[in-house]
Amino acid sequence: MQTLTASDPARALTERLMEEVCQPDNLNAAYRRVKENKGAPGVDGMAIADLPAWIAEHKQDFIASLLDGSYQPQPVRGVQIPKPGGGGMRQLGIPCVIDRLVQQAILQVLNPLLDPTFSASSYGFRPGRNAHQALLKAKEYVAEGRVIVVDIDLEKFFDRVNHDILMARLARRVADKRLLRIVRRFLEAGLMQDGVCVARHEGTPQGGPLSPLLANLLLDDLDKELERRGHCFCRYADDCNVYVQSKAAGERVMASVTRFLEDVLRLRVNRQKSAVAFCEERKFLGHRLLGGGELGIAPVSLERAKQRIRQITGRNRGIGIERMVKELNSYLDGWVRYYRYAACKTHLRGLDGWVRRKLRCVRLKQCKWTKTICDFLHRQGVSLRNAWLTALSGKGWWRLAGTPSANQAMSNQWFEKLGLVNLVQRYESLQA
């Protein structure tokens, strides 16, 4: 693999990057991005709204510390969130607002230098690239007959990044020692959790603006190795799939790539979650690749969507049906946009009906009493006799929501008037 040395002209141009980081235009752009991204305060409790006043008071010392390389980041605030599907907890590290500003300013200078050198098969957290491009490329590979996928799962990747190896990769491209020193301090900043600050000797916790770029920089070595071997692959952050034509070839690739990751990059492959299998048996970015390269929705993705819908339509939330529909629309519109390339109309039709029944269930429970249920159904056009029979039936709320009277009172047209998004119609409009 070609590396840059101190005598390389390209690297020599990077000896004064901190001056670019501290340019007013760059710092102003970084502030705007941090403000757009919002986010919680770090360990110092400073909110984004407090940042302009802090900069006005400390501007000279702040910029001087960046230019002489003495800037010291604060510890990050540790937060653990559940992984989707109940697969344990994910460790996040929230830098303080000032550190987020510095990281963003450095990112804006490093990204134009590093990103053009990355592999065309890398799609995650890169300008002009997205998950859909990765999926469409994977679809091409499968359509060409590469129906076996080597699905490589890295165990706690962001927690296990080796600082020395990562900094060596960055030093290949960057000669400014002040910038390298500050980036290293960001990597080594302590993790404050439950009142205890823990020193960090590995990992780049998710939550800081620089983490995705540094992850891509480290895993670019994997990309280049796979390219050198002539493999067809797609990588999105730490999610890497290699497409081959036989299981025997897949087993060989899995063994050799595992050795490379563990021996060269000092990363750990999760052998329980990694596999060599037919592509339809695995998921990639929430999708399944079906025969002929057609995209479908992975079953686990459908279940996660239902879990989120259950949360939004919780019958004890104490909010009106109109607000519930608004929250549902926000989630469902984004969800169907993401899966617009999948062949999933049958799934969407079933999900549409399930969502409407959930909302019928909520609306009936909001009536509470037999008399108010009867009155509501009757006002919506149900005969008085059928309204009373339904209200007096003694069925549970879910069964009640599936009765003919409930379907008549809260028809599809009723939901249209409420403004509920129709997933099938939205999907078809995205196909046009």
Side-chain angles (χ1 to χ4, degrees), residues 139-369:
K139 180 178 175 179
E140 285 182 27
Y141 292 147
V142 174
E144 291 168 358
R146 296 178 177 87
V147 295
I148 302 296
V149 60
V150 183
D151 187 354
I152 303 163
D153 184 272
L154 294 175
E155 187 175 309
K156 295 183 178 180
F157 168 72
F158 284 93
D159 298 333
R160 294 250 165 87
V161 169
N162 183 288
H163 291 172
D164 291 335
I165 293 175
L166 175 56
M167 290 307 301
R169 270 55 180 177
L170 186 58
R172 289 176 183 172
R173 324 282 187 96
V174 172
D176 193 326
K177 293 183 179 179
R178 298 165 299 173
L179 187 145
L180 294 172
R181 194 155 52 237
I182 291 173
V183 170
R184 179 109 196 187
R185 287 182 189 142
F186 276 123
L187 291 173
E188 294 176 346
L191 182 73
M192 180 74 76
Q193 194 154 338
D194 299 324
V196 178
C197 188
V198 180
R200 288 193 294 126
H201 304 290
E202 63 177 4
T204 169
Q206 299 174 74
L210 266 178
S211 290
L213 177 64
L214 296 177
N216 275 332
L217 175 63
L218 180 63
L219 290 174
D220 188 57
D221 276 19
L222 170 63
D223 299 341
K224 296 300 194 293
E225 180 66 17
L226 291 172
E227 288 176 349
R228 187 184 67 80
R229 299 179 188 184
H231 290 309
C232 296
F233 70 98
C234 295
R235 182 176 66 78
Y236 192 93
D238 58 333
D239 196 352
C240 183
N241 280 3
V242 184
Y243 297 90
V244 295
Q245 293 179 316
S246 70
K247 278 205 169 185
E251 296 292 351
R252 289 195 298 270
V253 171
M254 177 65 82
S256 62
V257 170
T258 298
R259 282 196 301 272
F260 178 84
L261 287 166
E262 295 187 342
D263 295 346
V264 178
L265 297 184
R266 304 287 178 85
L267 298 170
R268 189 178 301 173
V269 174
N270 188 326
R271 285 163 172 77
Q272 291 183 330
K273 294 185 178 179
S274 300
V276 176
F278 285 101
C279 56
E280 60 262 30
E281 298 172 11
R282 307 294 293 178
K283 68 178 179 68
F284 181 49
L285 300 176
H287 291 69
R288 273 199 311 166
L289 282 154
L290 308 174
E294 190 175 49
L295 288 173
I297 301 179
V300 68
S301 300
L302 278 171
E303 186 52 41
R304 285 177 188 168
K306 285 190 170 185
Q307 287 176 3
R308 180 65 184 128
I309 292 165
R310 288 187 187 102
Q311 291 173 352
I312 296 172
T313 59
R315 286 174 258 164
N316 298 316
R317 290 190 64 201
I319 63 172
I321 197 80
E322 293 80 6
R323 178 178 163 190
M324 200 171 278
V325 166
K326 187 176 180 180
E327 291 182 19
L328 270 175
N329 285 348
S330 177
Y331 173 73
L332 291 174
D333 187 68
W335 190 84
V336 76
R337 278 177 176 274
Y338 181 71
Y339 288 102
R340 65 183 180 271
Y341 295 114
C344 58
K345 193 180 289 188
T346 301
H347 290 306
L348 295 180
R349 193 171 289 113
L351 197 58
D352 262 333
W354 186 77
V355 168
R356 287 193 293 268
R357 186 167 176 179
K358 291 288 289 181
L359 288 171
R360 290 186 186 110
C361 190
V362 169
R363 184 65 187 88
L364 289 171
K365 189 177 181 185
Q366 288 176 346
C367 293
K368 292 187 179 180
W369 311 110

Side-chain angles (χ1 to χ4, degrees), residues 21 25-34 103-113 210 213:
V21 169
D25 288 348
N26 187 57
L27 289 174
N28 288 335
Y31 168 72
R32 288 192 296 272
R33 177 53 66 91
V34 169
Q103 286 196 37
Q104 181 63 39
I106 292 174
L107 173 67
Q108 290 166 182
V109 170
L110 286 182
N111 215 35
L113 292 173
L210 266 178
L213 177 64

Side-chain angles (χ1 to χ4, degrees), residues 16-30 59-69 71 101-102 104-106 108-109 176 178-179 182:
R16 299 187 63 79
L17 289 184
M18 286 310 299
E19 277 72 16
E20 294 183 37
V21 169
C22 294
Q23 285 292 321
D25 288 348
N26 187 57
L27 289 174
N28 288 335
K59 180 179 178 181
Q60 298 302 322
D61 292 340
F62 170 61
I63 292 177
S65 68
L66 292 174
L67 290 174
D68 65 19
Y71 181 83
L101 174 69
V102 176
Q104 181 63 39
I106 292 174
Q108 290 166 182
V109 170
D176 193 326
R178 298 165 299 173
L179 187 145
I182 291 173

